[in-house]
Amino acid sequence: MARTKEFDPDAALQAALELFWQRGYEATSMADLVERLGVGRASLYATFGSKRELYLRALERYCEQSDSARLDELSQPGPALPAVRALVRHYATADERERRFGCFVTNTAVELAPHDPAASRRVEASFDHLETLLTGALVRAAAQGELPAGREPRALARMLVVLLQGIRVVGKTTDGATRARDAAEQALALLD
């Protein structure tokens, strides 16, 4: 007879997400996960497979959560450009925790994507999704007369994706908040 799980896999996945987001993949050991999650090593392996599989599931959870929030922000009816500006400024004025941890997707891009094809695919999917959302909002902005003529929504969206990921990396440094705000405002000036 199979044993019943003595822990909540959903809560454990969320706790793993937080730990990986704070420390990264390499700096998080299975012992760290066992301690933080309060779950035995055998139960973790039985439920999630390897540490890498747990990391990828945590990354997927993070993407689902953040993609949903971005979709809500960028798909509201009415003027689209204020939502784009608000998203960029949100990244640039992140609170201390967000600045210190950065973006889980960006962290994965830096740490794992160069040598882990599954992580790279997930990072690319997240970047593509953000680009699609921004492109859609900027196309709406252009159609509503919010963007100056001649601005290419897709190219602007790509520039903003790169900017937002850079903000998350630079934001981890001591002067990162100031650099991020200045860069965001310069990029937003291109939308005028």
Side-chain angles (χ1 to χ4, degrees), residues 61-140:
R61 159 82 55 95
Y62 177 88
C63 290
E64 289 167 2
Q65 292 170 348
S66 62
D67 289 351
S68 173
R70 289 184 196 132
L71 177 60
D72 288 347
E73 293 168 4
L74 294 172
S75 63
Q76 296 296 316
L81 208 48
V84 172
R85 289 179 182 286
L87 178 70
V88 172
R89 287 185 175 124
H90 170 79
Y91 271 70
T93 59
D95 63 26
E96 177 62 29
R97 180 178 185 267
E98 284 181 296
R99 279 196 312 274
R100 189 175 61 245
F101 292 175
C103 168
F104 195 8
V105 174
T106 307
N107 297 347
T108 302
V110 172
E111 183 181 14
L112 294 180
H115 54 45
D116 186 319
S120 181
R121 280 190 301 276
R122 189 60 195 99
V123 165
E124 284 294 329
S126 180
F127 290 171
D128 288 346
H129 184 73
L130 179 55
E131 180 183 317
T132 298
L133 291 174
L134 284 165
T135 299
L138 291 167
V139 164
R140 280 189 10 252

Side-chain angles (χ1 to χ4, degrees), residues 13-77:
L13 181 59
Q14 189 63 37
L17 184 162
E18 294 290 328
L19 188 59
F20 282 130
W21 189 9
Q22 275 181 301
R23 295 186 182 176
Y25 179 77
E26 292 298 332
T28 303
S29 68
M30 277 306 285
D32 295 331
L33 289 161
V34 166
E35 181 181 332
R36 173 73 64 94
L37 279 56
V39 177
R41 186 181 298 257
S43 293
L44 279 177
Y45 283 125
T47 303
F48 299 109
S50 66
K51 174 182 141 181
R52 180 178 170 275
E53 290 169 308
L54 177 56
Y55 183 92
L56 292 174
R57 285 184 60 183
L59 177 61
E60 187 67 33
R61 159 82 55 95
Y62 177 88
C63 290
E64 289 167 2
Q65 292 170 348
S66 62
D67 289 351
S68 173
R70 289 184 196 132
L71 177 60
D72 288 347
E73 293 168 4
L74 294 172
S75 63
Q76 296 296 316

